[in-house]
Amino acid sequence: FRGGPSPLLEAINRSIGTDFRLWPHDVRLSTQWARALADAGVLGHDEARLIGEGLVRVGDRLAAGEAPTAADEDIHTMIDRLLHEEIGSPVAAKLHTGRSRNDQVATATRLWTLDAVERVDAAVRQLQQVLVAQAERLQDAIMPAYTHLQRAQPVSVAHWLLSHVWPLVRDRGRLADAARRLAECPLGAGAIAGTAFGVDRTALAASLGFAAPTPNSIDTVGDRDFVAEVLFALSLLGAHLSRLAEDLILFGSSEFGFVRFGDGFSTGSSMMPQKRNPDALELARGSAARFLGDLVSLMGTLKGLPSGYNKDLQDDKRALFGAVDAMLVVLPAVAGTVDELTFDVRRTEAACTSAMMATDLADYLVRRGATFRESHAAVGSLVRQAEEAGIELDALPPSAIRAAHPLFGDDAAAALGARASLAHREAVGGTGPEAVRAQLAQARAAIGG
Ligand code: ARG
């Protein structure tokens, strides 16, 4: 080029505001690249050592808060500049031999992502532990379970809590799966066609903790599948957190009154002294939109690209870092909220009205030999009678129950008890007390550690 870049290009091109945080990974991969070049006979081992020592000092400066200058386009060029400052140009200028920022940024981003997945995993696990600890305390408490947000059937509070643990088990599985697939090292793919120097990519990959080198240089420099996979895993995790938050926000309303939010994770109102607002849960629910937005943003970037590296890909990190940063704030806040919750178990039990045991009453007839269809009709007529009389199902006189079907005996009313309903549901995955005890053990094992 005869002239320098326009300031307008620099403004759009500059990514250091986003990618600065990649520096520890870039320093690490650059150190290993210098070693690999030395092993290949391209650099002298003394030169590689000098580069390694220089990079340690560069890392020290960055850790101490070294700020980018206006001329630093991205973290890779900044580290290159600092290395020149530390060890001087003849040797520093050899580091970039046989590599490109294309394989470099892909490697640094993968290393960062592997680290991020571990941090997110630990935070999800923390939330799981808090949910399981509450479930252990609340095995004997009962509450309504809802379908269509209508009272459906009674369940143990532990069973409801555990229903939010299993989606998180799957989320962690998705993150682990993404991490396993992304553990291939891009370095050595060069700009597009591979490196021209005899670098042992397998040894290089191992030195950076990767399982293997990537198999195709063209694919490697344009591949951001790992970003998409992690963003999808975070989006779904975000949807699960939103659902948990929404359940709890409802349960904490005066109308439900099932839970009370602790002081640490709720706020008062500047005007209304009686308020106790579940802000952390509302922000968690709202954040689900951001994770989805980051995923859609990345997919939009990828969908029109030709193969190989294109600068559009620079935007992957904005989406990835934004989503991970938000998730690492949301997860501890949700865990803290759940940890501080107190359940009003008298209220949750009182909400299990006898109409919710209509199915159990029909099951009673089935156990005595009636078909489910005729049982459903008989109990349906009782539900109608109770509704017309404006009373609960269990307030109907025994004579009315007996009149509804010849197989009803004097013990029929016992079938309308919520705890009797739970006791029948001991099949695996059900809300029976023994089944929930087994489920708790299964959840503890799935969470690990
Ligand atoms: N900052 C760039 C990015 O994040 C680094 C790669 C630049 N490569 C290039 N061919 N200009 O994607």
Side-chain angles (χ1 to χ4, degrees):
F1 295 114
R2 233 170 255 131
S6 156
L8 299 178
L9 172 65
E10 281 173 359
I12 188 178
N13 203 24
R14 201 170 131 93
S15 62
I16 197 152
T18 303
D19 59 32
F20 182 82
R21 63 170 77 190
L22 289 179
W23 74 259
H25 306 290
D26 198 79
V27 165
R28 189 170 155 219
L29 72 86
S30 293
T31 306
Q32 294 307 330
W33 180 246
R35 286 205 185 125
L37 286 176
D39 289 344
V42 180
L43 290 188
H45 279 284
D46 49 335
E47 291 176 316
R49 204 172 314 112
L50 188 60
I51 289 174
E53 287 162 9
L55 285 169
V56 169
R57 292 202 295 277
V58 169
D60 289 344
R61 282 172 66 179
L62 288 162
E66 179 90 22
T69 65
D72 293 323
E73 178 190 323
D74 61 21
I75 188 58
H76 318 291
T77 56
M78 178 176 179
I79 287 174
D80 191 60
R81 170 177 68 79
L82 295 178
L83 185 64
H84 278 79
E85 289 174 15
E86 289 298 328
I87 65 171
S89 134
V91 180
K94 291 186 179 180
L95 172 60
H96 211 55
T97 310
R99 78 172 184 186
S100 154
R101 274 187 296 160
N102 297 354
D103 57 346
Q104 193 179 349
V105 71
T107 306
T109 308
R110 284 190 192 223
L111 288 170
W112 186 89
T113 305
L114 285 169
D115 196 64
V117 164
E118 263 181 44
R119 284 182 292 147
V120 172
D121 181 76
V124 179
R125 184 161 169 273
Q126 176 71 33
L127 172 59
Q128 289 177 315
Q129 284 172 329
V130 167
L131 285 163
V132 166
Q134 285 278 24
E136 253 149 23
R137 284 194 279 280
L138 291 157
Q139 286 181 72
D140 294 327
I142 62 175
M143 65 182 280
Y146 296 81
T147 61
H148 311 269
L149 203 52
Q150 306 279 319
R151 282 181 188 166
Q153 293 184 299
V155 294
S156 77
V157 176
H159 194 51
W160 172 80
L161 284 159
L162 289 170
S163 78
H164 287 285
V165 171
W166 296 107
L168 302 177
V169 171
R170 296 192 294 276
D171 290 326
R172 289 179 63 193
R174 268 181 286 273
L175 286 168
D177 190 45
R180 190 176 46 75
R181 220 180 340 272
L182 81 82
E184 289 183 345
C185 184
L187 209 54
I192 184 78
T195 184
F197 299 92
V199 168
D200 179 349
R201 288 192 67 212
T202 302
L204 176 62
S207 75
L208 289 167
F210 288 104
T214 52
N216 179 299
S217 62
I218 302 173
D219 174 38
T220 298
V221 291
D223 175 19
R224 294 297 182 274
D225 288 9
F226 66 101
V227 182
E229 287 189 36
V230 168
L231 286 175
F232 172 70
L234 295 182
S235 294
L236 195 50
L237 169 56
H240 293 147
L241 297 176
S242 175
R243 181 172 57 191
L244 169 62
E246 173 61 10
D247 271 4
L248 286 173
I249 291 164
L250 280 172
F251 292 170
S253 70
S254 313
E255 283 66 23
F256 279 81
F258 289 178
V259 297
R260 184 182 160 84
F261 305 117
D263 289 350
F265 293 88
S266 43
T267 60
S269 156
S270 55
M271 183 173 175
M272 301 165 282
Q274 84 282 12
K275 291 298 281 297
R276 181 173 277 271
N277 299 326
D279 289 38
L281 295 175
E282 292 169 316
L283 290 163
R285 187 178 57 188
S287 296
R290 297 178 45 180
F291 304 126
L292 180 59
D294 288 328
L295 171 64
V296 171
S297 157
L298 180 81
M299 290 304 296
T301 299
L302 297 181
K303 74 163 272 299
L305 292 185
S307 57
Y309 179 84
N310 298 272
K311 200 59 175 268
D312 318 43
L313 293 172
Q314 176 159 284
D315 226 21
D316 61 348
K317 290 173 283 306
R318 188 189 45 75
L320 177 65
F321 297 167
V324 170
D325 287 352
M327 190 54 89
L328 288 172
V329 175
V330 166
L331 280 165
V334 174
T337 306
V338 172
D339 189 39
E340 276 201 348
L341 284 179
T342 46
F343 285 77
D344 186 338
V345 298
R346 261 201 301 268
R347 239 181 118 106
T348 58
E349 178 149 2
C352 297
T353 47
S354 58
M356 290 166 53
M357 274 66 81
T359 310
D360 297 276
L361 200 56
D363 290 346
Y364 167 99
L365 285 178
V366 169
R367 281 193 197 92
R368 299 199 147 203
T371 66
F372 185 73
R373 182 175 287 239
E374 62 177 298
S375 306
H376 189 278
V379 176
S381 79
L382 289 171
V383 170
R384 191 169 51 246
Q385 285 173 49
E387 268 174 20
E388 279 165 10
I391 55 175
E392 291 292 331
L393 196 54
D394 59 357
L396 283 173
S399 57
I401 295 183
R402 258 184 270 106
H405 197 283
L407 288 173
F408 272 130
D410 292 337
D411 56 350
L416 289 173
R419 285 172 193 279
S421 171
L422 264 71
H424 277 125
R425 289 179 168 74
E426 293 290 16
V428 172
T431 190
E434 287 310 316
V436 169
R437 222 183 310 284
Q439 192 193 154
L440 263 170
Q442 199 186 350
R444 266 188 246 106
I447 293 169

